[in-house]
Amino acid sequence: MQPNQIDLERIQQAAHLMARLWSDEPSKHDQHACNKWRAADPDNEKAWQCLIQAQAHFGDAPKETIQIIARSRKMSRRHVLSLMGLSAGGLFFAGGYIHNWSISSHASYYKNLATATGEVRSFPLSDINKLVMNTKTTLAMPTEHQFKLDDGEFFLDVSQATPYQIETMDGTISFHQGKLNIRRTDDITRVSVFSGQNVQLIGKQMHNPLSIKPGESISFNTLNTSRISNTDPNTIGWVTGKLVAQRMPLTDFIHELSRYRKGIVRVAPELRQLAVTGVFSIDNTDQILQQLQASLPINIYQLTPYWVNVTAS
């Protein structure tokens, strides 16, 4: 929705409902009231989605910002748009990285790096080149320009052209400049190029390398590749400390959420038909589970802090 189409009264109504759902103890009445309001008018749903997307700009305190909008009936249009992070051209994805980086001493390269479950860390590679590691990632830098990814995910932001070589169990990726995300989970490597120069990759049993350009993403193993697809900026929301979903099947969302949580999270397969849309802070997975239960027809059973079952209500 463009700013000149935003009905601020509906935005405030949506914020009021969202603040209730994001309270410490949302009730089923709150959930029913929210669903009823969204279904009553297509413009209500547009306002809700507009607010959901704008959460990417709320920093570390989305609930507080939503409550500010919800409380005020006298805010100017300009003030509301400012709080929501809207530009004259509409919504935009938040740039910048999470502020609570744990940065080691500035070094030309790092030997062995690892992140714990739920941990996101950043390392400077030079004055302007940066490496950000996602949860449960094991990475080594044998040399200044070489990476070996055993498992997990990392993001490279390379402003100054530098010849980097990245190795995984599946093959080798050559990268020089731009923004690149590499993920190796479930025995497959996924490469997403968001900007900069073309990237070359080759599986260990492939005969010829493959080139992908900015805006493209591909998965590969030692022998085969998937079809090239468009990059999805939602997949790197973790760089800003967010888990971003847009009509994501609930089972897929829970799978992603489980990467940031110690223990086991099981979800009933039939819940795949439910979809999740929103921007969630990955530093509080308990709160995310509460938000899901408040907004979807599901039950969250926490048998222990390390064992959670998600079932239909």
Side-chain angles (χ1 to χ4, degrees), residues 72-228:
S72 176
R73 296 292 176 177
K74 298 180 180 179
M75 295 174 65
S76 69
R77 172 188 177 83
R78 183 175 182 180
H79 192 186
V80 172
L81 295 182
S82 175
L83 277 174
M84 292 176 60
L86 295 173
S87 69
L91 294 167
F92 57 92
F93 186 78
Y97 303 121
I98 55 176
H99 297 296
N100 59 339
W101 281 349
S102 175
I103 300 185
S104 301
S105 59
H106 197 291
S108 58
Y109 69 96
Y110 307 86
K111 292 293 185 179
N112 296 296
L113 305 171
T115 53
T117 299
E119 182 182 24
V120 176
R121 298 185 66 189
S122 175
F123 301 87
L125 300 176
S126 68
D127 290 337
I128 55 178
N129 294 344
K130 299 179 180 68
L131 159 72
V132 190
M133 292 173 57
N134 201 1
T135 179
K136 293 195 293 188
T137 297
T138 304
L139 182 68
M141 290 188 69
T143 69
E144 185 177 356
H145 298 142
Q146 183 183 16
F147 297 95
K148 288 190 175 182
L149 177 64
D150 290 335
D151 197 43
E153 182 173 20
F154 69 93
F155 179 82
L156 280 175
D157 185 350
V158 179
S159 299
Q160 182 180 26
T162 309
Y164 287 110
Q165 186 177 82
I166 302 153
E167 296 180 14
T168 76
M169 296 286 289
D170 300 299
T172 302
I173 302 147
S174 299
F175 174 66
H176 288 82
Q177 188 175 25
K179 292 180 171 61
L180 174 76
N181 195 71
I182 306 291
R183 171 171 170 167
R184 189 176 193 278
T185 55
D186 304 317
D187 298 322
I188 197 167
T189 298
R190 185 158 189 85
V191 182
S192 299
V193 187
F194 291 91
S195 67
Q197 301 178 4
N198 288 5
V199 171
Q200 306 289 322
L201 64 89
I202 184 168
K204 289 184 177 180
Q205 299 182 50
M206 295 180 190
H207 298 295
N208 300 305
L210 178 68
S211 177
I212 59 173
K213 59 188 180 182
E216 294 183 340
S217 182
I218 195 170
S219 297
F220 73 99
N221 56 25
T222 58
L223 185 60
N224 299 305
T225 67
S226 67
R227 299 178 66 175
I228 293 176

